[in-house]
């Protein structure tokens, strides 16, 4: 059976390589590209004519076949050091296709943001200048980013495009990103003072563990107990902290990981078999 | 009672100013404390020391400016070690397009210091969106999946990449990330091909890293800024990480003091309220 | 002046950005909102630029146009299916491509599940006695007890009515508190690190307040 599959796989591979041959001559290339585009449009037009039930089945079938590829690649017996089987050589091609198709989704986010902020600017809503700032940032960074990628200025160049790119990227983008996330430090201080109340025994245990770990990971905390020697050295903050992290925390995290992994596996199975329910999956075709 | 109530509803802006002052002190006065490396960092150091001759390291740089405070010192320490040891590496990002650029800025800085050449001692593969398909294809054929470096140069034209075709030519994967992206590498590379992984998470992910360290699926780790400081100690460098850890000490003491103070005023006001009633 | 303050365009831009973002700590204001939107625009623009230069140009456009690999047009057609979501009539086609991509990811997870959890499971079966003796290995016993207790806490298939189920679950809750305390302790360091980085930039790179060494 496996030999049969293997020969079928090789035959398919040869057919694939014969069908999809590169054509560098511009006219042939253009013709083949137009042909491919035409075939794609024809397929989509044909799919559009299908009855609703068939469309839903097509989605379910497509999802199933896509998942089946990797599942079979994992499950089928392999040979050699890496347990490669008949489907393994197809992985790089599938990987490439997924990479490119996935990259096109970026436009969805941009369109959404443009719609929201475009409306705000067009209708001069309250705070419209913020949306204008968004567009300034978007086009400036996109434009100068492309310029930098294509012009490839020298490291010592003082071209205005390079200066503008560096100011936008190293000056604004990097520091804005770091600043936004660093605000969390202030919020954690505020929360520590105002919200952390030891109202139960469990909370006491949690706080004590937190204190030990916090003191164990900073030099000042380590210095407080550094004079403990001999068997008492095991009670140094950094050692107790490491023991807590490796022992109890490690086991607890693993328990949580197992639970999450089984949940994720169940979810994957549900998605693969199109058993999942929800606004997206139950939407009318 | 009024005093404790006022303490509890202290304007948070006062707390913010307190944070700035307390964290600035160690930078002004430079109170230096020794830093003692812990086993996960020592194992990470050893993993880079033991990278076989002729193999490269994939530096999966999945951090960007949002986690710069921790990830940049980690990247500096790891790249310094690799340049010093003569271990060649390839920067690669699967998180966002920005990550590969950010990792590269650190590499360029250190390359100047150690007189290392792009394309010979290190390379930047750029960004490829994280997907199971891509990560399953990468170990089998790096040239096909990556194809060109960040600057559009085909891998076949890069001297470093001449003998790097698949996972057999990769001696170690080092993942610097604010998320647990090491599981992607465990799933599709370490699990199947046995390539060791060193993980440099931000401190938020440290607690979750320990089960993987215990099972050996992650060989070593640099836990947050502390990990970077410990690594600098092992390298014998007095870098930013070590200075910043002194500031961390004071910040941690402040947080502990605030928690204690907050609880004291809470329980005191409750007790007084109960007595008043 | 330059020995006290760095007025190069990049550093000045960074300082302005930092002060603008930190102004929210005083109170909600227009400057913060403006720079917040500017940041989103910069990030989106840079992301779009890199998607083209790092992924689409080398993996799709150049192979298609320069190497004559005309069949990449099919990938373009597949990618365009996502945009059918904007039309009511053809929206179902976007579900087709989303379903295929989700199916691929779901199928790939099976290998990932085994690769991740096999090692974890193996390590969980730890010897409860010290090797070569009859002394109990307390660390390993504590590890296994914690693991079982935490897992029983999350076991929802039947109610924790009996003492046999309720007691381990209760112990699991206590042990989880220790783990969460450890997580909180680590999180504090993470958040502070980000702020320390900003402080270093402002008072070392911008205003030369902190000494060099």
């Amino acid at each position: 059976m496996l030999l049969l599959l293997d020969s079928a796989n090789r035959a398919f591979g040869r057919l694939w390589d014969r069908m999809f041959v590169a054509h560098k001559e511009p006219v042939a290339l253009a013709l083949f590209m137009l042909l491919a585009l035409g075939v794609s449009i024809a397929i989509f037009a044909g799919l559009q004519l299908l009855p609703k039930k068939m469309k839903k089945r097509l989605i379910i079938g497509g999802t199933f076949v896509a998942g089946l590829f990797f599942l079979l690649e994992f499950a089928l017996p392999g040979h050699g050091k890496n347990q490669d089987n008949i489907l393994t050589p197809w992985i790089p091609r599938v990987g490439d296709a997924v990479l490119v198709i996935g990259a096109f989704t970026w436009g969805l986010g941009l369109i959404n943001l443009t719609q929201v902020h475009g409306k705000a600017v067009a209708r001069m809503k309250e705070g419209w200048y913020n949306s204008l700032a968004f567009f300034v940032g978007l086009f400036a960074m996109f434009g100068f980013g492309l310029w930098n990628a294509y012009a490839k200025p020298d490291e010592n160049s003082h071209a205005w495009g390079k200066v503008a790119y560096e100011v936008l990227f190293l000056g604004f983008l990097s520091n804005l990103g770091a600043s936004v996330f660093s605000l969390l430090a202030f919020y954690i201080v505020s929360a520590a003072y105002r919200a952390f109340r030891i109202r139960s025994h469990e909370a006491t245990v949690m706080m004590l563990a937190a204190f030990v770990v916090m003191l164990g990971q900073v030099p000042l905390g380590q210095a407080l107990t550094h004079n403990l020697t001999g068997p008492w050295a095991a009670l140094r903050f950094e050692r107790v902290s490491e023991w807590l992290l490796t022992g109890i925390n490690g086991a607890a995290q693993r328990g949580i990981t197992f639970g999450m992994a089984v949940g994720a596996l169940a979810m994957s199975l549900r998605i693969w078999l199109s058993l999942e329910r929800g606004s997206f999956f139950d939407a009318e075709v | 009672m009024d005093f404790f109530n006022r303490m509890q509803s202290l304007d948070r802006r006062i707390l913010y100013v307190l944070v700035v002052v307390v964290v600035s002190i160690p930078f002004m006065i430079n109170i230096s404390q020794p830093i003692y490396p812990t086993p996960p960092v020592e194992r990470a150091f050893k993993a880079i020391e033991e990278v076989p001759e002729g193999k490269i390291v994939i530096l999966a740089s999945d951090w960007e400016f949002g986690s710069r405070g921790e990830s940049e010192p980690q990247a500096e320490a790891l790249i310094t070690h690799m340049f010093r040891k003569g271990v060649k590496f390839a920067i690669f990002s699967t998180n966002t397009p920005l990550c590969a650029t950010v990792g590269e800025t650190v590499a360029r800085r250190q390359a100047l210091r150690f007189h290392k050449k792009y394309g010979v001692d290190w390379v930047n593969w750029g960004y490829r969106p994280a997907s199971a398909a891509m990560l399953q294809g990468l170990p089998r054929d790096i040239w096909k999946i990556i194809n060109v470096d960040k600057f559009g140069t085909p891998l076949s034209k890069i001297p470093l990449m001449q003998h790097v075709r698949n996972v057999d030519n990769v001696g170690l994967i080092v993942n610097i990330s604010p998320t647990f992206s090491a599981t992607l590498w465990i799933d599709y590379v370490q699990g199947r091909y046995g390539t060791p992984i060193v993980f440099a998470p931000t401190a938020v992910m440290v607690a979750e890293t320990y089960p993987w360290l215990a099972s050996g699926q992650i060989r070593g780790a640099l836990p947050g800024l502390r990990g970077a400081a410990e690594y600098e100690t092992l390298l014998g460098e007095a870098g930013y990480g070590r200075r910043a850890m002194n500031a961390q000490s004071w910040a941690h003491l402040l947080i502990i003091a605030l928690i204690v103070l907050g609880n004291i005023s809470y329980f005191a006001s409750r007790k007084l309220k109960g007595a008043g009633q | 002046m330059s020995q006290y303050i760095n007025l190069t365009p990049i550093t000045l831009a960074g300082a302005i950005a930092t002060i603008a973002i930190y102004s929210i700590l005083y109170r909600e204001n227009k400057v913060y909102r403006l720079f917040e939107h500017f940041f989103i625009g910069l990030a989106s623009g840079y992301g779009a630029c890199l998607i083209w230069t790092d992924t689409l140009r080398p993996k799709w456009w150049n192979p298609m146009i320069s190497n004559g690999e005309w069949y990449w047009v099919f990938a373009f057609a597949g990618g365009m299916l996502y945009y059918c979501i904007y039309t009511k009539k053809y929206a179902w086609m976007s579900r087709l491509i989303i379903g295929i991509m989700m199916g691929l990811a779901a199928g790939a997870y099976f290998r990932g599940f085994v690769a991740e959890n096999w090692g974890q499971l193996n390590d969980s079966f730890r010897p409860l006695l010290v090797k070569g003796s009859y002394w109990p290995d307390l660390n390993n016993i504590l590890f296994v007890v914690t693991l079982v207790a935490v897992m029983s806490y999350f076991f929802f298939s039947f109610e924790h009515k009996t003492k046999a189920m309720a007691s381990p679950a209760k112990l699991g809750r206590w042990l989880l508190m220790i783990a969460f305390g450890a997580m909180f302790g680590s999180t504090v360091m993470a958040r502070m690190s980000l702020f320390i980085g900003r402080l270093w930039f402002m008072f070392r790179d911008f205003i030369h307040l902190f000494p060099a060494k």
Side-chain angles (χ1 to χ4, degrees):
Chain A
M1 179 72 181
L2 283 172
L3 281 169
L4 197 67
L5 277 171
D6 194 36
S7 346
N9 182 47
R10 280 178 215 258
F12 180 72
R14 281 194 293 272
L15 179 69
W16 184 276
D17 290 336
R18 272 202 198 141
M19 269 173 61
F20 297 109
V21 176
H23 294 283
K24 282 194 177 175
E25 312 84 49
V27 174
L29 175 62
L31 276 171
F32 272 92
M33 280 173 68
L34 281 168
L35 180 70
L37 201 61
V39 165
S40 306
I41 293 170
I43 292 171
F44 296 150
L47 290 176
Q48 182 61 21
L49 296 170
L50 290 171
K52 268 190 188 174
K53 239 184 192 168
M54 281 303 294
K55 285 177 184 174
K56 189 129 193 178
R57 282 183 191 164
L58 183 67
I59 294 171
I60 292 168
T63 308
F64 182 78
V65 168
L68 195 64
F69 170 75
F70 277 121
L71 184 62
L72 281 179
E73 198 280 326
F74 171 61
L76 284 175
H79 51 85
K81 186 178 80 167
N82 299 323
Q83 292 298 297
D84 290 352
N85 54 44
I86 54 168
L87 289 176
T88 312
W90 291 95
I91 289 179
R93 287 182 224 226
V94 171
D96 267 355
V98 166
L99 210 113
V100 171
I101 294 171
F104 283 111
T105 58
W106 200 262
L108 291 170
L110 276 177
I111 288 172
N112 190 32
L113 281 169
T114 310
Q115 279 177 330
V116 168
H117 291 287
K119 273 186 198 154
V121 173
R123 292 172 193 174
M124 302 279 266
K125 282 184 188 173
E126 194 188 336
W128 65 270
Y129 39 85
N130 293 327
S131 297
L132 187 64
F134 163 79
F135 282 114
V136 167
L138 176 72
F139 290 118
M141 197 71 242
F142 185 71
F144 286 112
L146 278 183
W147 181 90
N148 192 63
Y150 280 95
K152 291 188 190 166
D154 198 51
E155 259 179 43
N156 300 318
S157 161
H158 292 292
W160 65 270
K162 180 169 179 268
V163 173
Y165 169 78
E166 285 180 349
V167 167
L168 285 171
F169 180 72
L170 292 172
F172 281 115
L173 183 59
S174 79
N175 288 289
L176 281 167
S179 302
V180 164
F181 282 92
S182 70
L183 288 175
L184 291 163
F186 295 95
Y187 299 147
I188 210 167
V189 167
S190 177
Y193 182 71
R194 287 158 159 247
F196 276 114
R197 297 290 176 253
I198 302 172
R199 288 196 180 101
S200 63
H201 299 298
E202 286 99 326
T204 313
V205 165
M206 183 175 137
M207 271 308 127
L208 284 172
F211 287 169
V212 167
V213 169
M214 282 165 72
L215 288 170
Q217 65 191 4
V218 293
L220 211 57
Q222 292 172 5
L224 285 172
T225 51
H226 195 65
N227 291 326
L228 292 171
T229 52
W232 297 104
L235 293 175
R236 289 181 187 172
F237 273 128
E238 67 269 24
R239 295 210 186 163
V240 177
S241 165
E242 193 70 19
W243 175 79
L244 271 177
L245 284 167
T246 318
I248 298 175
N249 168 72
Q253 294 291 342
R254 187 169 287 173
I256 296 169
T257 303
F258 283 149
M260 273 168 36
V262 171
L265 187 69
M267 189 68 181
S268 294
L269 205 59
R270 287 173 68 83
I271 289 171
W272 179 47
L273 299 173
S274 299
L275 297 170
E276 190 60 21
R277 291 286 166 263
S279 58
F280 173 77
F281 298 96
D282 289 334
E284 274 298 306
V285 161
Chain B
M1 188 166 108
D2 192 42
F3 167 74
F4 289 114
N5 278 337
R6 270 191 279 124
M7 282 289 287
Q8 279 195 83
S9 52
L10 191 68
D11 191 337
R12 57 182 131 215
R13 288 174 288 199
I14 296 173
L15 295 171
Y16 298 159
V17 170
L18 198 61
V19 168
V20 176
V21 167
V22 164
V23 173
S24 300
I25 292 171
F27 284 117
M28 303 287 278
I29 303 171
N30 197 15
I31 311 158
S32 193
Q33 299 281 342
I35 291 169
Y36 304 102
T38 48
V41 177
E42 284 172 342
R43 291 207 297 267
F45 189 89
K46 198 176 166 205
I48 290 188
E49 288 280 312
E50 289 174 353
V51 171
E53 190 75 35
K55 293 195 179 188
I56 71 161
V57 168
I58 296 179
L59 182 63
S61 180
D62 290 330
W63 62 280
E64 47 170 271
F65 299 119
S67 64
R68 192 178 177 183
E70 291 192 284
S71 302
E72 193 169 7
Q74 289 171 329
E76 294 265 12
L78 288 161
I79 290 173
T80 299
H81 190 192
M82 287 191 283
F83 275 149
R84 207 186 264 182
K85 187 105 180 47
V87 171
K88 300 179 197 300
F89 62 90
I91 295 175
F92 180 50
S93 165
T94 58
N95 187 10
T96 72
L98 193 52
C99 297
T101 315
V102 168
E104 187 191 317
T105 54
V106 178
R108 284 203 182 275
R109 207 159 45 230
Q110 294 303 320
L112 271 171
R113 189 181 151 202
F114 288 98
H115 310 291
K116 295 293 181 181
K117 204 168 165 214
Y118 182 85
V120 175
D121 302 297
W122 68 286
V123 70
N124 188 351
W125 291 347
Y127 162 75
R128 302 287 180 276
S131 71
M134 189 277 293
L135 278 166
Q136 290 205 65
L138 181 73
R140 296 188 51 77
D141 194 340
I142 293 174
W143 280 27
K144 183 157 176 50
I145 294 292
I146 304 297
N147 194 21
V148 295
D149 77 345
K150 194 177 173 356
F151 309 103
T153 312
L155 295 190
S156 55
K157 293 200 164 82
I158 297 174
L160 168 59
M161 294 301 299
Q162 292 309 306
H163 303 291
V164 179
R165 298 302 300 265
N166 54 48
V167 74
D168 288 338
N169 310 120
V170 175
L172 180 69
I173 297 166
V174 175
N175 184 209
I176 308 173
S177 174
T179 62
F180 213 91
S181 52
T183 47
L184 277 174
W185 295 98
I186 292 169
D187 287 355
Y188 304 116
V189 186
Q190 191 271 339
R192 190 168 186 174
Y193 304 99
T195 314
I197 295 175
V198 161
F199 186 39
T202 55
V204 177
M205 309 302 304
V206 162
E208 289 176 47
T209 308
Y210 277 84
W212 305 92
L213 281 167
S215 67
Q217 286 164 297
I218 291 176
R219 186 71 67 85
L222 273 72
L225 185 62
R226 171 173 69 98
E230 289 176 20
Y231 210 90
E232 284 171 10
T233 305
L234 289 169
L235 286 171
E237 299 237 329
Y240 165 80
R242 291 181 67 174
R243 283 195 78 174
M245 278 312 291
N246 291 322
Q248 281 280 6
S249 295
W250 288 75
H252 278 54
L253 286 178
L254 174 67
I255 300 263
I256 291 170
L258 287 174
I259 293 173
V260 169
L261 209 62
N263 279 284
I264 288 172
S265 37
Y266 170 70
F267 285 113
S269 70
R270 253 180 59 165
K271 201 171 180 185
L272 288 169
K273 199 174 175 182
Q277 282 174 350
Chain C
M1 180 83 164
S2 63
Q3 62 187 134
Y4 300 113
I5 195 164
N6 184 346
L7 290 172
T8 56
I10 293 170
T11 312
L12 191 59
I16 292 168
T18 306
I19 293 165
I21 293 298
Y22 276 14
S23 64
I24 190 77
L25 295 171
Y26 180 65
R27 64 167 184 214
E28 173 68 46
N29 62 84
K30 289 180 182 170
V31 173
Y32 169 79
R33 289 292 157 202
L34 186 80
F35 273 84
E36 187 190 53
H37 283 71
F38 185 53
F39 171 48
I40 295 167
L42 286 174
S44 306
Y46 197 66
C49 169
L50 287 182
I51 279 286
W52 171 254
T53 56
D54 279 23
T55 305
L56 287 175
R57 184 178 60 164
K59 299 293 292 180
W60 173 69
W61 183 259
N62 285 345
M64 192 168 64
I65 301 299
S66 307
N67 299 348
E69 291 168 25
W70 56 271
Y71 37 84
W72 280 109
V73 171
F74 290 117
F76 172 73
M80 288 303 108
L81 282 179
Y82 282 111
Y83 296 88
C84 294
I85 207 163
Y86 293 113
T87 68
K88 233 177 179 172
K89 194 177 175 190
Y90 304 106
W92 74 275
M93 287 195 196
S94 67
R95 285 177 59 188
L96 179 63
I97 190 70
I98 290 170
I100 288 170
M101 299 296 254
M102 279 169 60
L104 279 167
Y109 183 71
F110 293 101
R111 176 181 286 284
F113 175 82
V114 172
E116 263 180 54
N117 295 290
W118 190 251
Q120 294 288 296
L121 261 171
N122 261 336
D123 184 58
S124 302
F125 290 96
R126 294 187 177 188
L128 300 179
L129 301 175
V130 174
K131 197 174 180 182
S133 81
Y134 290 106
W135 286 103
D137 190 325
L138 293 173
N139 276 328
N140 284 354
I141 290 171
L142 181 65
F143 188 94
V144 171
V145 164
T146 305
L147 179 63
V148 170
V150 166
M151 285 178 73
S152 70
Y153 178 75
F154 289 116
F155 198 71
F156 299 127
S157 297
F158 38 85
E159 279 185 67
H160 297 170
K161 272 187 184 161
T162 60
K163 212 167 182 181
M165 272 308 295
S167 301
K170 196 174 178 186
L171 176 64
R173 217 176 76 178
W174 280 85
L175 292 165
L176 272 168
M177 286 295 124
I178 297 175
F180 294 148
M183 282 172 78
F184 171 72
S186 301
T187 304
V188 167
M189 183 165 79
R191 305 300 175 219
M192 281 299 160
S193 299
L194 307 179
F195 169 62
I196 289 167
R198 288 290 82 206
L199 210 64
W200 183 259
F201 169 76
M202 287 302 285
F203 295 133
R204 172 92 187 90
D205 297 338
F206 179 51
I207 304 169
H208 303 313
L209 196 64
F210 292 160
K213 292 247 180 257

